[in-house]
Amino acid sequence: MDGAGVTAAARVRVRVPSKVNLFLSVRGLRPDGYHELVTILQTVSIHDTVLAKLDGSASSAHPAARRFMDLAFTQEAGPEVPPGPDNLAVRAARQLMGLVGVGTAHREDEGTVPVTRLHLTKRIPVAAGMAGGSADAAATLLALNELWGTELDREELRQIAAELGADVPFCVTGGTALATGTGISTAQVLCRGTYHWVVGISEQPLSTPAVYRAFDEVGRPSEAEPDAVLQALRTGDTEALGAALYNDLEEAAFSLRPELREARDAFLAEGALGALVSGSGPTVVGLAASAQHALELSTRVKGLFDRVEIALSPAGGPEVAVD
Ligand code: ATP
């Protein structure tokens, strides 16, 4: 037990999955500039890992018992991922520190205050429409909540998550969810079965705001309903899911990157049950009928992408391991 009467961990590892949007309808532009969405998100088995450690005496672990703390961040990630305060993992950590009343240590306190060390290992492709940054922010909130013994429940964490980005609350929970509004309010959706995906990754990123801007030029708000996807998930019908996959942002992504349309069409021509751009892209996913089919399909489309991975969905939620 620490000074505040709460047990704190010394080391917490959170493995967090990425997502695909099985359905995404853009309803229109809101007065506040955000787009109104109806979307179905599902976690996919490509994971990032956030490791959180506390250096300092156990008695200083609880933030309520400490006014100041140092935060150190390191990562194994490509140069496109910000290494400092702009990283969503760091922003999540700062947000939580602010909320629980902990300030950053002053220089004169160096060596006397506890240090929270965060280490991010990235496997989720960056700026790829797979919510990589959001997943890292969610993993950080879960890790620090455990490390510091702050005892916020998932709903409280989801509220903090909403301040960090539209996909972050979903990433806190994972599974399969229907999201409406700007994507922040979500409801879990019944999903039977496991789905096999071939994930076509392009190293050249596509900025989400740029895709939404393109949507405002080339796209039209739709009234598409997610019923067919929900029904397919409820019954575990892979073929029906393949036929029902839907994304209003596809045309916008194609207008910026025409080769993505060819990649999507190639998936279909090579026998995928369905294929689409994930979220704002540029990742293109193809749905396979089985693990064996996914393997065959991946070989056939390999030449079209920088990297191809096979993944399963739904991939549960973040897994929190405490040492
Ligand atoms: P979404 O699917 O939610 O639209 P995305 O997968 O398209 O997101 P991210 O991988 O989250 O996009 O990256 C978007 C941008 O966010 C990157 O270009 C990068 O500059 C910045 N970023 C900040 N923190 C991270 C992080 N931890 N991982 C990846 N990108 C990050």
Side-chain angles (χ1 to χ4, degrees):
M1 292 291 227
D2 69 22
V6 178
T7 308
R11 213 173 116 101
V12 181
R13 185 185 298 271
V14 180
R15 203 168 157 263
V16 65
S18 51
K19 62 85 180 161
V20 287
N21 298 79
L22 304 176
F23 175 92
L24 193 157
S25 156
V26 183
R27 295 301 210 225
L29 197 57
R30 301 167 16 143
D32 62 8
Y34 285 99
H35 289 80
E36 186 84 20
L37 302 182
V38 175
T39 183
I40 299 174
L41 302 138
Q42 184 161 75
T43 50
V44 194
S45 63
I46 299 175
H47 294 84
D48 279 355
T49 305
V50 170
L51 178 67
K53 280 196 292 188
L54 193 67
D55 286 356
S57 74
S59 64
S60 60
H62 194 285
R66 271 280 152 198
R67 288 206 35 232
F68 298 104
M69 179 159 333
D70 260 338
L71 186 67
F73 178 72
T74 50
Q75 63 179 4
E76 282 157 61
E80 66 282 17
V81 181
D86 290 337
N87 194 294
L88 267 164
V90 178
R91 286 186 44 214
R94 295 245 174 260
Q95 183 91 351
L96 193 60
M97 281 170 87
L99 281 162
V100 297
V102 177
T104 310
H106 296 295
R107 192 166 285 277
E108 59 271 22
D109 295 324
E110 233 167 72
T112 63
V113 297
V115 185
T116 292
R117 296 190 188 279
L118 282 177
H119 184 76
L120 167 65
T121 308
K122 268 211 92 71
R123 295 279 175 272
I124 303 174
V126 179
M130 298 193 80
S134 304
D136 300 341
T140 302
L141 292 178
L142 287 158
L144 295 183
N145 189 41
E146 203 61 55
L147 187 78
W148 294 341
T150 14
E151 297 196 314
L152 298 168
D153 63 30
R154 289 263 163 148
E155 202 35 57
E156 288 168 313
L157 290 173
R158 280 170 53 88
Q159 277 166 23
I160 301 168
E163 311 262 310
L164 293 158
D167 287 338
V168 190
F170 167 73
C171 293
V172 168
T173 321
T176 311
L178 175 68
T180 54
T182 54
I184 281 171
S185 48
T186 65
Q188 285 294 304
V189 159
L190 182 60
C191 175
R192 286 200 175 84
T194 298
Y195 301 95
H196 300 267
W197 298 93
V198 177
V199 182
I201 298 160
S202 154
E203 300 292 358
Q204 199 191 329
L206 196 50
S207 128
T208 304
V211 173
Y212 275 101
R213 276 196 300 276
F215 176 85
D216 292 336
E217 279 168 30
V218 302
R220 249 177 299 127
S222 83
E223 293 299 321
E225 293 294 345
D227 302 37
V229 171
L230 292 172
Q231 168 72 6
L233 294 174
R234 202 160 40 231
T235 53
D237 185 336
T238 312
E239 261 183 48
L241 179 64
L245 295 171
Y246 181 87
N247 183 0
D248 271 338
L249 291 177
E250 265 189 335
E251 285 301 325
F254 294 158
S255 75
L256 298 171
R257 299 272 292 276
E259 73 278 13
L260 298 180
R261 185 194 298 278
E262 287 159 36
R264 195 265 327 255
D265 292 347
F267 258 123
L268 297 172
E270 295 295 350
L273 300 180
L276 89 174
V277 169
S278 178
S280 55
T283 302
V284 181
V285 295
L287 182 61
S290 63
Q292 178 60 30
H293 184 210
L295 206 57
E296 290 161 13
L297 191 58
S298 72
T299 323
R300 288 191 217 127
V301 299
K302 209 159 64 190
L304 295 166
F305 300 100
D306 294 321
R307 197 170 114 212
V308 167
E309 293 207 17
I310 290 174
L312 299 176
S313 78
E319 294 156 24
V320 181
V322 178
D323 289 355

